[in-house]
């Protein structure tokens, strides 16, 4: 009776791992597409600032602004200041700060790709998973902090009317990063159990 229950439990556990592996492959493909698109978009935005393309890149409301298309080429949004109206050092600084702001998001996506690849290989409670989730947590904290730095620098460079600008998504990222650190402890505990089980058998 007990052996039958153990076999049934083992079968259910294997089925759950198989489902996670299938989803891992799907998530891996989706995250790969997203990171490629995000990297291309980020590179385009940075280049628009570096090459001072004032028709499409500039500053608005104390932050970076990009115009994809206009109904009327002669009209610009209210408050939009073309990047070409700033000095060369200011546009270079803006491109550098934008790069800094984009890095945490790219790190998160890159770690998710590696994490989903591990799930696709049926690797769940491992030290590598723990490391990747910890990096994601740190990247979320960075995602919340970096805009505070960039806004302050833009203000002192004369490119933003405000020195401090706090957005709701920054608070969300900080809370999510903190919660993820707590969840990493659960993964670490699971990894330790898996290592003990492997050593026992």
């Amino acid at each position: 009776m007990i052996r039958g229950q153990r076999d049934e439990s083992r079968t259910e556990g294997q089925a759950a791992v198989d489902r996670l592996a299938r989803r891992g492959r799907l998530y891996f493909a989706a995250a790969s597409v997203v990171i490629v698109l995000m990297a291309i978009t980020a590179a385009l935005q940075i280049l628009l600032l570096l090459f001072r393309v004032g028709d499409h890149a500039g500053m608005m409301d104390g932050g970076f602004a990009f115009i994809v298309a206009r109904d009327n080429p002669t009209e610009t949004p209210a408050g939009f200041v073309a990047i070409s109206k700033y000095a060369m050092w200011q546009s270079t600084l803006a491109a550098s700060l934008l790069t800094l702001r984009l890095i945490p998001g790219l790190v998160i996506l890159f770690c998710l790709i590696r994490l989903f690849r591990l799930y696709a290989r049926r690797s769940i409670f491992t030290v590598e998973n723990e490391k990747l989730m910890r990096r994601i947590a740190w990247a979320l904290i960075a995602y919340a902090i970096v805009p505070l730095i960039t806004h302050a620098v833009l203000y002192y460079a004369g490119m933003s009317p405000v020195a401090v600008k706090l957005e709701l998504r920054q608070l969300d990222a900080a809370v999510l990063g903190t919660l993820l650190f707590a969840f990493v402890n659960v993964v670490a505990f699971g990894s330790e159990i898996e290592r003990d089980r492997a050593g026992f058998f």
Side-chain angles (χ1 to χ4, degrees):
M1 182 69 178
I2 295 177
R3 174 177 282 184
Q5 290 177 344
R6 285 180 179 174
D7 291 341
E8 185 178 347
S9 176
R10 215 174 268 175
T11 303
E12 291 176 357
Q14 186 61 40
V17 171
D18 291 341
R19 283 195 301 271
L20 183 60
R22 288 193 297 271
R23 291 174 184 172
R25 287 190 289 270
L26 178 62
Y27 295 155
F28 170 77
S32 298
V33 172
V34 170
I35 196 171
V36 169
L37 294 176
M38 184 176 175
I40 292 172
T41 303
L44 180 60
Q45 291 176 336
I46 293 167
L47 289 174
L48 288 174
L49 291 175
L50 278 176
F51 288 102
R52 301 165 58 80
V53 184
D55 292 340
H56 296 285
M59 307 295 296
M60 188 168 65
D61 298 329
F64 306 103
F66 299 92
I67 300 174
V68 178
R70 298 177 184 168
D71 295 331
N72 188 344
T74 61
E75 294 181 358
T76 56
F80 178 82
V81 181
I83 194 66
S84 56
K85 293 185 178 180
Y86 293 100
M88 182 69 73
W89 70 269
Q90 288 176 311
S91 59
T92 304
L93 176 65
S96 302
L97 292 175
L98 179 59
T99 303
L100 183 63
R101 285 195 64 169
L102 293 171
I103 287 175
L106 290 172
V107 169
I108 291 171
L109 278 173
F110 181 73
C111 290
L112 284 174
I113 286 173
R114 294 182 60 187
L115 193 64
F116 294 148
R117 181 182 291 175
L118 289 173
Y119 291 161
R121 296 174 179 172
R122 294 175 170 80
S123 180
I124 303 170
F125 291 107
T126 64
V127 176
E128 185 65 20
N129 286 22
E130 179 186 344
K131 289 180 180 177
L132 289 172
M133 294 186 71
R134 188 170 279 113
R135 286 176 192 166
I136 293 172
W138 279 117
L140 284 167
I141 300 296
Y143 184 88
I145 295 174
V146 167
L148 298 176
I149 299 171
T150 57
H151 278 301
V153 174
L154 288 171
Y155 174 77
Y156 287 109
M159 302 180 73
S160 172
V162 292
V164 179
K165 186 177 179 181
L166 190 62
E167 299 177 2
L168 185 60
R169 60 182 177 178
Q170 292 173 247
L171 296 175
D172 292 340
V175 171
L176 186 58
T178 304
L179 292 175
L180 191 56
F181 273 121
F183 185 69
V184 168
N185 292 330
V186 177
V187 177
F189 182 69
S191 300
E192 188 174 345
I193 291 176
E194 288 293 325
R195 287 194 298 271
D196 290 344
R197 183 183 298 173
F200 177 77
F201 287 109

